[in-house]
Amino acid sequence: MRRILLGAAMAAMLAAGGTAPALAQGNPFQPLVYVNDSAVTRYELDQRVRFMQLLRAPDADRAASEKALIDDRLRLFAAKQLGITATDEQIDAGLAEFAGRANLNPEQFTAELARAGVERQAFRDFVSAGVVWREVVRQRVVPQVRVTDAEVDQELQKVIETPRVTHVALSELIIPAPPGQEAAAMAQAERIVAGTRSEGDFAAFARQYSATPSAQNGGRLPWTPLANLPPSLQPIILSMKPGQVGQPLRVEGAVVLFYLRDTRGTLRPGATAQVLDFVRFRLSSAEEARRIAAVSDTCADLFVHARGLPAEQITRQTLPQGQIPTGEAIRLAVLDDNESTVVAYGGAVELLMLCKRQSAALAEAPERAPVPTTAEGEPQPAPDPEALPGREDVRNMIFNRKVGQAAESYLAELRSNAIIRRP
């Protein structure tokens, strides 16, 4: 829930962070704010500010750090109410996981923090609050979250309707990073990321700092096929949105930034083709058909009215649109899900009801995404770019998103109900 810069960027920053920033003076143990009678001291705030500044977190000022400490007190309060405590083993695992994001072990990570004046306890407190909060969320929030099939269909439909990127318009900025100056180059790149709000901002930075011929043109590159980019770079570019600058990338002798100006793409196969699920109910008269249609809200209701009738009198089919007889396809074309129409064919009458209309791609979506397989010792093949994510994968993604949203709502509720006062 807390955004931080990870990996090489964090490690480079820690290596350059030996000088502690100047912080507020005064009694270090003076309470600044009480949260349900639990005090946040000046010392804790100074430590948290320094810690977040070392991590190059976007919310590293005193106001944001104080709010984060208040939220941690609320997390601990909620855990105490539920009888949840963190064991030493759980905290140690959390410390190791966090330090591992900088490719360090906990001892190495805390040693780097100590060089910049951040004590191990500040790191431990930061992790401990997250450990107990995860258990609070697991007990209180997770059981209340549900994901429906309709939500999965809606999310998959968004994927289907989003064009697959085939070409990208990028701007580049390359900062030289000769031996011994890697951390300074990374810090400069991070300042550029923080200061970029538009293509104009990025172009100005490129003209000032980029060491490539494109700098004269604000770093602008021509439209480029996505397939022409290095395979390692493609997923990074695909994770960006037009108008966004990516995180700094470390390459040999340089730090690279990309700004995504625009994309071009095509729809995946089956995105526009439709599959229709519908019921055909033959009846003796138009009047009877209209009566049944008036009291039937779903396709299942029609089968209730068909009880006792020959099975061939009512059928339900799921067919690609092109395989439905033209006369029926025309009438189904104007219907929404669970709408019906009465069709008279000379002496015969049919009640047609559309149960569900969906894209062919959605109808063919697998329950789980296929896993590429290969013979032992051979390189793992790349995933099929045409393949949709599996329904179960999408369900898990929606579930995790809803859990995160519900957890933030619960934290906001704790905040509104807490007694937060200043001495």
Side-chain angles (χ1 to χ4, degrees):
M1 299 178 189
R2 306 172 191 191
R3 297 174 297 164
I4 58 173
L5 298 176
L6 305 177
M10 184 191 296
M13 173 280 306
L14 285 171
T19 303
L23 296 171
Q25 302 298 314
N27 177 8
F29 302 108
Q30 174 190 357
L32 299 179
V33 61
Y34 290 93
V35 183
N36 293 331
D37 294 327
S38 177
V40 174
T41 67
R42 182 184 301 277
Y43 177 75
E44 288 179 284
L45 178 57
D46 290 348
Q47 286 282 295
R48 177 60 64 91
V49 170
R50 186 171 295 166
F51 181 54
M52 301 312 289
Q53 287 176 344
L54 285 171
L55 298 181
R56 298 290 186 194
D59 49 357
D61 57 27
R62 292 185 70 80
S65 295
E66 182 181 272
K67 180 179 180 298
L69 284 168
I70 291 172
D71 286 348
D72 279 354
R73 290 295 196 274
L74 295 172
R75 295 181 177 102
L76 294 169
F77 175 79
K80 183 178 180 180
Q81 295 295 102
L82 293 173
I84 295 171
T85 57
T87 66
D88 290 340
E89 291 77 10
Q90 289 174 316
I91 295 174
D92 288 343
L95 297 174
E97 188 273 335
F98 194 93
R101 299 174 187 175
N103 298 318
L104 301 172
N105 62 39
E107 290 71 27
Q108 293 169 325
F109 191 83
T110 52
E112 294 291 349
L113 293 177
R115 288 178 55 208
V118 177
E119 294 191 4
R120 179 184 176 89
Q121 189 62 44
F123 177 34
R124 184 181 177 87
D125 290 345
F126 176 85
V127 169
S128 297
V131 169
V132 297
W133 182 243
R134 283 196 292 271
E135 184 61 23
V136 169
V137 170
R138 189 187 70 81
Q139 290 190 22
R140 193 183 190 281
V141 175
V142 168
Q144 302 176 25
V145 175
R146 298 288 183 272
V147 179
T148 66
D149 290 341
E151 289 175 306
V152 174
D153 285 347
Q154 185 178 33
E155 193 71 27
L156 274 170
Q157 192 62 41
K158 289 180 183 178
V159 175
I160 291 167
E161 293 175 351
T162 300
R164 293 173 299 117
V165 173
T166 58
H167 292 73
V168 293
L170 295 171
S171 296
E172 65 177 357
L173 193 159
I174 300 179
I175 303 172
Q181 299 182 32
E182 295 89 350
M186 180 62 72
Q188 180 63 63
E190 290 167 357
R191 286 192 291 271
I192 291 172
V193 172
T196 298
R197 297 292 181 269
S198 66
E199 183 187 351
D201 292 339
F202 189 85
F205 285 127
R207 293 187 184 97
Q208 182 176 0
Y209 297 109
S210 188
T212 61
S214 64
Q216 297 178 2
N217 196 31
R220 288 174 66 96
L221 300 174
W223 280 97
T224 305
L226 183 68
N228 287 7
L229 299 178
S232 60
L233 182 58
Q234 292 179 23
I236 296 173
I237 299 301
L238 288 174
S239 69
M240 297 165 58
K241 297 179 180 179
Q244 181 180 3
V245 60
Q247 290 300 317
L249 304 176
R250 183 186 297 276
V251 299
E252 186 175 357
V255 176
V256 181
L257 290 170
F258 287 107
Y259 181 92
L260 182 60
R261 303 194 310 272
D262 202 357
T263 63
R264 293 175 183 163
T266 59
L267 292 174
R268 67 181 62 242
T272 57
Q274 291 186 349
V275 172
L276 304 185
D277 176 12
F278 65 100
V279 171
R280 183 189 295 111
F281 192 0
R282 292 204 308 274
L283 294 158
S284 59
S285 69
E287 181 181 357
E288 183 183 13
R290 284 191 290 268
R291 179 187 62 81
I292 292 175
V295 296
S296 299
D297 295 325
T298 67
C299 289
D301 294 340
L302 297 182
F303 286 85
V304 174
H305 294 285
R307 287 175 182 169
L309 298 176
E312 63 272 13
Q313 197 166 333
I314 184 169
T315 57
R316 182 169 181 171
Q317 291 182 288
T318 300
L319 294 173
Q321 198 172 32
Q323 296 181 19
I324 301 172
T326 302
E328 292 180 344
I330 291 173
R331 288 167 173 82
L332 291 168
V334 299
L335 300 180
D336 293 327
D337 291 0
N338 297 310
E339 282 190 338
S340 60
T341 186
V342 176
V343 184
Y345 300 99
V349 175
E350 282 189 350
L351 173 60
L352 284 178
M353 178 176 277
L354 178 64
C355 310
K356 188 174 185 179
R357 182 193 308 275
Q358 60 183 343
S359 69
L362 178 58
E364 297 168 2
E367 190 62 27
R368 292 186 179 276
V371 178
T373 57
T374 186
E376 185 176 353
E378 293 185 6
Q380 187 76 7
D384 181 4
E386 305 285 352
L388 279 175
R391 295 183 64 86
E392 194 60 29
D393 299 322
V394 173
R395 188 181 301 275
N396 290 336
M397 180 194 70
I398 298 171
F399 180 82
N400 291 334
R401 183 174 66 208
K402 293 176 78 170
V403 166
Q405 292 169 345
E408 288 300 319
S409 296
Y410 179 44
L411 184 61
E413 178 186 333
L414 291 170
R415 192 180 301 116
S416 66
N417 293 334
I419 300 174
I420 300 176
R421 61 184 178 85
R422 297 184 182 276

